[in-house]
Amino acid sequence: MHGRKPEPPTTTAPDPRESLPLLRRDLHTGDEGLSDREAARRLAVYGANEVEVKAQTSVARELVQQLAHPLALLLWAAAALAFLAGIPVLGSAIIAVILVNAAFALTQERQAERAVETLARYLPDHAEVIRDGQEKTIEARSLVPGDLILVDEGNKIPADARLTEGGIEADLSMLTGESAPAERVAGPAVRSAPLLENSDLIFSGTTCTGGQARAIVYATGSRTELGRIAVLSQRTQREQSPLEHQVKRVAWFIAAAAVAMGAVFLVTGVAVGLPLSDALTFAIGLLVANVPEGLLPIITLALAVGVRSLARQGAVVKRLSAVETLGSTNVICTDKTGTLTQNSMRVQSLWTPEHGTGTGPGTQVLARSMAECTTVTTEGGELHGDATELALVTEATALHTGFDPRTRDERRRVLHRFAPQLRLMSVITSCPQQDDRLILITKGAPEAVLARTAGNGAGPAGHTVRRARAAAEDMAHEGMRVLAVATRDLSPGDSQLSREEAEAHLTLRGLVGLYDPPRPEVPDAVRRCHDAGLRVHIVTGDNGSTAAAVARQVGIGRPELRIVPEAEAVTERQLDELLGQDSDAEIVFARSSPETKLRIADALRHHGHIVAMTGDGVNDAPALHRAHIGVAMGRSGTDVAREAATMVLTDDNFATIVTAIESGRRVYDNVRKFIVYIFAHLVPEVVPFAVFALSAGAVPLPLTVLHILAIDLGTETLPALALGRERAEPGVMNKPPRKGTQSVISRDMLIRSWGYLGVVSALLSMGAFFYVLWRAGWQPGDPTAPGSELHDDYVTATTATFAGIVTCQVGTAFAARTDHASLRAIGLWTNPLLLIGIAFELAFTAALIYLPPLQGLFGTAALPADVILLIMTFPVLVWGTDELRRAERRRRRARRQPTTLPSPQDRAAGTNAARHPAQDAPRCPSKRTQ
């Protein structure tokens, strides 16, 4: 290394699975490590060994985006016109409304993406390296490819590296999700195996739990496994939810319509002789009347209420708009263990070559052997360890084998931990009765263990292996996780055998079938998904037959269940065929990796699906980012997964996802309800200005701009919020998911709010205005300015218009509670918050009308008794007309449906056809008799 000038390294990481001499040559390094000068040069080429965190969007920039919202721009224009018209109080009030809306939205929606920052916390501050042949401690960020590092017990591993000497046990759970430490030993790599499964590779951010080793760094910074996850997490940017996109589009529509109407009426008013000051006042009023000032904060508050409601049900949603996205979800990709199942493993069946399934002399040997090949510990009389191994030990104890973890550890000579690429774990221990005799015990996947037995040929031994394979397949089809257990007698000197040499010529002791029962609430949750038009796919690292059995037990697989046994090998074209829009099948993706999850999320998005994806490991972060709704596990998930996810399940339960989707649908429906409620008042607010303009001032302005602001920000807000708390209408989970392109505001909604509720409210409120003036003897064109004989009556008339619109709001609120059902069907008193909101708006209106300080500020006057009696009828009239309209629509819908009743045979056939697949699924075998 020091005798020649090193060649400049490339920035592309070499393949660490190549032979060690070739890897050293590619990295231009040796046994003495790099020189400080060479390390400095490489640091300039490769950059620092750290996870790069992109700068967050500044608060100022986000505030500017809120202030530039289309509805805000329209209000800015209204404020500017108010100052031009010499009404600074009104202009200042409008600006205050803009600032309050922007600050509220910013406060509610501000959510920093901390997943990458959490990843960065996994990296150590310092590393032990050999530079110029000397051991030294340096900052971990200064490591470069080619550095020779020292790894000791308790160290965090600072970079991705290949072991050259020694061996360690490493906690890789943050990458693999496996809780048991993995054995990492210097030796030849397996070129065909994934990087994480190679037993001579260690990875940045993981922890050495035992042993010592030297290793060559081959990747740093963003080129490590940890860095790659960080890069993927940052590339998958959060997109606007359908609701955010649609509200902005509707806002531009309202803005364009308001400006066009203002321009037309302004020109018309001037053309018919309206003074310019009056025309400007009219334009301001028209702009303010067309802007639903309360829409954005009410939507934000409704989503916030949804977030709080879901949190009480076990789903913590981190982004407000995600509540609405949940409502349009049409595909759920779920893990199996712990999400569909209880993550409570127990031994369900034992199989021995001598007696098959059941009890016999071989059962005791099998039970003791499987318990010996565990790492379960005991503290304070309680067992601790992996769920699978705990189940094995519990079963051995139940069979009275006399197993004790402490004596097990005393007899143990060698421990070969579970190796993912081998799918095996082995121990060498002394026999309980003969300390000078050793025995090797191996447990693992049946295919891996049986391949190492002595019975792979013909004869009785071969027949035993074939029987074992058939029995293992039967167990897997019944939903069990299957382990094979085998042994080999060794002499005392054989304890020095390599793992490969030791795990050969085994004698099969039997099979263990472990069962993790489904959560009892999952079948009903899956049925609700199917009723709601959702598809459920299982993405798991488990065996395909086992996962398929669990799928059938909980009802997944309607109308068809497909099994992909090796999801890693599926091509992009095959994914498109499996997940395309035309496919109705539900799929089990077995032997999946976190990268497979990301590919599945991408494919589903490509085909227009709205995807909810579960995950718990660090490697799941990119897939959780990529899915519309990333769902992390609150109990078993890692910090990185929880940070990357949109929603965290505090109970790790699939049924909670379905509850969240139902809540999302309810929130979306409620958003539409209060949009109908808010839009219905635009018409009675605009009509007075239109009458004023078209009459060229002969009819005085029936409503002032301050009255409009009092309605939109005062009386309207609480009832609208209460509509956001409305219960779900019957059948909310019996209709298909809405398409992401479906507008939150439909034509029917506009017809209902503007054409029915709005027109009726405008006619009634204008009727109250003209009634007061008519009673006072007013004629068109009579002066009503301050000082005129009719001025007090004019103020009373505008107050009647204002009060009439408020009372019409009450009727609209009751009408908007339901889209199609009658008010009697949902109950008059079932939304107490709405009743409180209505009481508040009536009290607020009374204060504006009858309190002298507020009378002077808002230009109101006390109403006489006959006017009060008149406007008290408005709520019933508004609600009644809409109730009749909905009743007529229900009658038309009923006439379109078939009226003939099915025969008893047809009803029975229909019942059988609708039976849930879970009813036909094979039941899990009962616990065998002991």
Side-chain angles (χ1 to χ4, degrees):
M1 182 70 196
H2 304 290
R4 62 181 175 84
K5 182 179 179 179
E7 299 176 22
T10 63
T11 56
T12 304
D15 186 350
R17 293 168 292 192
E18 62 191 5
S19 67
L20 197 54
L22 188 58
L23 181 64
R24 281 190 168 125
R25 190 194 70 185
D26 289 345
L27 291 170
H28 309 292
T29 188
D31 292 336
E32 295 185 348
L34 301 177
S35 67
D36 285 332
R37 291 175 60 189
E38 174 62 17
R41 281 194 292 268
R42 295 192 185 191
L43 187 61
V45 173
Y46 290 98
N49 176 39
E50 57 191 4
V51 174
E52 296 182 7
V53 181
K54 292 196 299 187
Q56 299 289 341
T57 305
S58 67
V59 175
R61 183 175 178 181
E62 292 188 8
L63 183 59
V64 169
Q65 290 174 349
Q66 295 291 343
L67 296 176
H69 192 279
L71 294 183
L73 292 176
L74 199 57
L75 287 176
W76 283 117
L81 286 176
F83 284 111
L84 287 174
I87 318 174
V89 174
L90 177 59
S92 300
I94 295 173
I95 290 175
V97 169
I98 298 170
L99 295 177
V100 168
N101 278 356
F104 183 79
L106 183 65
T107 301
Q108 288 286 347
E109 196 58 61
R110 177 73 176 166
Q111 175 65 48
E113 292 290 341
R114 297 193 299 271
V116 177
E117 295 175 13
T118 305
L119 282 170
R121 291 201 295 269
Y122 280 95
L123 293 176
D125 295 328
H126 296 87
E128 300 291 328
V129 301
I130 295 177
R131 294 260 179 97
D132 292 316
Q134 302 294 319
E135 295 185 13
K136 57 179 65 178
T137 301
I138 65 170
E139 288 187 353
R141 67 186 307 276
S142 300
L143 281 176
V144 294
D147 260 325
L148 189 60
I149 61 173
L150 305 175
V151 181
D152 203 347
E153 182 176 348
N155 291 161
K156 277 189 175 180
I157 296 168
D160 288 4
R162 166 86 173 266
L163 296 182
T164 61
E165 297 178 28
I168 65 169
E169 291 176 357
D171 179 3
L172 306 182
S173 60
M174 51 88 69
L175 287 177
T176 65
E178 294 288 342
S179 58
E183 188 176 40
R184 299 285 149 161
V185 182
V190 182
R191 293 295 299 268
S192 60
L195 291 180
L196 291 175
E197 295 184 7
N198 263 276
S199 60
D200 60 342
L201 300 183
I202 55 177
F203 302 97
S204 175
T206 60
T207 304
C208 173
T209 59
Q212 292 180 326
R214 288 190 178 194
I216 297 177
V217 173
Y218 67 84
T220 59
S222 61
R223 298 172 187 83
T224 64
E225 290 295 299
L226 195 69
R228 181 179 58 82
I229 296 166
V231 170
L232 287 173
S233 297
Q234 294 190 111
R235 283 177 183 168
T236 50
Q237 295 293 326
R238 182 182 84 82
E239 299 176 1
Q240 281 190 332
S241 76
L243 183 62
E244 290 173 308
H245 176 73
Q246 291 163 15
V247 166
K248 187 162 284 190
R249 189 170 62 182
V250 168
W252 280 117
F253 168 74
I254 293 172
V259 170
M261 289 171 59
V264 169
F265 282 113
L266 183 62
V267 171
T268 303
V270 172
V272 297
L274 198 67
L276 183 60
S277 60
D278 289 347
L280 282 174
T281 301
F282 159 74
I284 295 169
L286 198 62
L287 285 176
V288 175
N290 271 285
V291 177
E293 289 89 353
L295 180 61
L296 292 180
I298 289 172
I299 287 178
T300 305
L301 278 173
L303 295 176
V305 167
V307 166
R308 288 193 294 271
S309 174
L310 283 172
R312 289 193 295 269
Q313 295 170 310
V316 179
V317 178
K318 296 162 54 182
R319 195 173 68 238
L320 292 182
S321 57
V323 177
E324 178 269 334
T325 307
L326 279 164
S328 57
T329 299
N330 54 20
V331 175
I332 301 175
C333 295
T334 177
D335 290 320
K336 178 183 73 69
T337 303
T339 308
L340 297 178
T341 65
Q342 298 177 23
N343 197 20
S344 176
M345 200 73 73
R346 66 173 183 261
V347 173
Q348 190 72 34
S349 180
L350 296 177
W351 181 94
T352 58
E354 298 84 3
H355 295 87
T357 303
T359 59
T363 305
Q364 289 277 333
V365 176
L366 172 60
R368 185 170 187 86
S369 298
M370 68 188 187
E372 288 283 338
C373 192
T374 62
T375 56
V376 170
T377 60
T378 180
E379 293 179 16
E382 293 186 0
L383 295 173
H384 299 274
D386 175 73
T388 299
E389 293 194 343
L390 286 173
L392 299 179
V393 171
T394 301
E395 181 69 8
T397 303
L399 289 174
H400 309 292
T401 60
F403 171 78
D404 182 0
R406 287 167 295 188
T407 57
R408 173 205 63 189
D409 293 342
E410 292 170 0
R411 293 193 306 271
R412 182 170 291 174
R413 300 291 186 269
V414 178
L415 167 64
H416 296 298
R417 291 189 178 273
F418 177 79
Q421 73 273 26
L422 301 176
R423 300 174 66 196
L424 295 173
M425 172 188 174
S426 296
V427 297
I428 297 177
T429 183
S430 62
C431 292
Q433 293 81 18
Q434 304 175 22
D435 288 341
D436 60 339
R437 180 169 158 259
L438 299 181
I439 183 171
L440 175 133
I441 305 172
T442 298
K443 80 172 193 298
E447 55 268 33
V449 173
L450 293 175
R452 288 165 172 80
T453 62
N456 279 306
H463 179 64
T464 298
V465 169
R466 289 191 291 274
R467 286 175 54 223
R469 287 189 175 127
E473 190 65 23
D474 290 342
M475 288 182 183
H477 279 300
E478 292 179 338
M480 286 182 268
R481 180 185 178 188
V482 187
L483 296 177
V485 180
T487 64
R488 176 186 176 185
D489 290 332
L490 301 174
S491 62
D494 291 338
S495 61
Q496 302 303 316
L497 290 174
S498 69
R499 179 169 188 172
E500 184 178 3
E501 293 171 329
E503 292 175 341
H505 310 293
L506 305 175
T507 299
L508 180 67
R509 291 302 177 190
L511 304 175
V512 185
L514 298 114
Y515 182 58
D516 184 8
R519 292 177 180 267
E521 61 272 23
V522 168
D524 181 64
V526 172
R527 178 189 56 76
R528 290 164 60 204
C529 284
H530 291 157
D531 291 344
L534 279 77
R535 276 186 279 166
V536 183
H537 303 313
I538 298 178
V539 187
T540 178
D542 213 336
N543 173 276
S545 297
T546 301
V550 172
R552 295 187 183 99
Q553 288 164 18
V554 300
I556 295 174
R558 197 178 77 175
E560 176 188 358
L561 181 66
R562 295 184 183 177
I563 304 170
V564 180
E566 294 292 337
E568 289 278 316
V570 175
T571 65
E572 296 299 322
R573 181 175 179 180
Q574 290 171 327
L575 265 184
D576 287 338
E577 292 174 356
L578 286 167
L579 300 172
Q581 289 280 11
D582 298 333
S583 173
D584 292 328
E586 293 180 322
I587 305 168
V588 172
F589 291 96
R591 302 301 186 200
S592 297
S593 69
E595 286 76 13
T596 309
K597 285 188 174 183
L598 181 58
R599 292 174 58 218
I600 291 170
D602 270 329
L604 287 168
R605 289 186 67 115
H606 175 74
H607 290 286
H609 295 291
I610 307 297
V611 189
M613 173 79 75
T614 68
D616 53 14
V618 171
N619 256 6
D620 290 331
L624 295 177
H625 262 288
R626 187 58 179 152
H628 296 89
I629 299 292
V631 183
M633 302 297 112
R635 292 179 180 175
S636 60
T638 60
D639 290 342
V640 176
R642 286 191 285 267
E643 292 291 352
T646 311
M647 183 170 74
V648 179
L649 303 183
T650 59
D651 55 3
D652 293 9
N653 193 339
F654 176 84
T656 305
I657 303 175
V658 183
T659 300
I661 289 173
E662 182 176 4
S663 293
R665 291 190 175 194
R666 177 182 59 80
V667 168
Y668 184 81
D669 287 348
N670 288 346
V671 167
R672 291 166 66 94
K673 289 174 184 178
F674 64 64
I675 286 177
V676 167
Y677 171 75
I678 291 173
F679 274 32
H681 308 137
L682 298 182
V683 176
E685 290 175 357
V686 169
V687 166
F689 291 92
V691 171
F692 169 69
L694 293 176
S695 68
V699 176
L701 194 60
L703 196 67
T704 69
V705 176
L706 285 177
H707 290 164
I708 293 174
L709 290 177
I711 292 170
D712 290 354
L713 298 174
T715 64
E716 183 176 82
T717 304
L718 283 184
L721 284 175
L723 288 173
R725 300 290 296 271
E726 193 70 42
R727 296 179 181 179
E729 286 194 59
V732 69
M733 288 295 280
N734 291 324
K735 56 185 180 182
R738 71 179 188 279
K739 295 181 179 179
T741 55
Q742 176 184 323
S743 176
V744 69
I745 301 177
S746 66
R747 186 183 65 175
D748 284 346
M749 287 172 62
L750 295 179
I751 292 173
R752 183 186 182 192
S753 58
W754 289 347
Y756 288 92
L757 296 168
V759 167
V760 171
S761 298
L763 290 174
L764 293 175
S765 57
M766 289 300 295
F769 173 76
F770 285 118
Y771 170 75
V772 174
L773 289 181
W774 167 79
R775 194 185 61 167
W778 169 86
Q779 296 293 326
D782 288 351
T784 57
S788 64
E789 182 180 350
L790 291 173
H791 177 67
D792 290 342
D793 294 301
Y794 166 68
V795 172
T796 303
T798 57
T799 304
T801 308
F802 165 63
I805 293 176
V806 172
T807 52
C808 287
Q809 281 182 326
V810 175
T812 303
F814 281 110
R817 289 186 62 193
T818 173
D819 180 53
H820 53 85
S822 67
L823 181 61
R824 186 175 65 177
I826 64 172
L828 180 63
W829 313 108
T830 53
N831 190 344
L833 289 176
L834 180 62
L835 302 178
I836 294 172
I838 289 173
F840 170 80
E841 75 172 323
L842 294 176
F844 180 76
T845 303
L848 295 186
I849 293 175
Y850 292 102
L851 294 181
L854 296 178
Q855 286 178 336
L857 180 61
F858 285 88
T860 58
L863 295 175
D866 57 333
V867 176
I868 293 176
L869 290 174
L870 174 65
I871 64 176
M872 282 176 63
T873 63
F874 290 0
V876 177
L877 294 173
V878 172
W879 164 77
T881 55
D882 189 72
E883 188 78 10
L884 292 173
R885 181 192 67 85
R886 281 181 281 119
E888 178 58 28
R889 292 188 65 179
R890 290 195 298 272
R891 281 194 293 271
R892 287 202 304 268
R893 189 179 297 115
R895 285 197 294 268
R896 287 196 297 267
Q897 293 175 347
T899 55
T900 57
L901 293 174
S903 66
Q905 293 82 2
D906 291 337
R907 286 197 297 270
T911 301
N912 292 332
R915 186 170 59 183
H916 198 270
Q919 294 173 313
D920 298 324
R923 295 184 179 273
C924 184
S926 61
K927 182 78 172 177
R928 77 217 179 307
T929 305
Q930 297 182 6

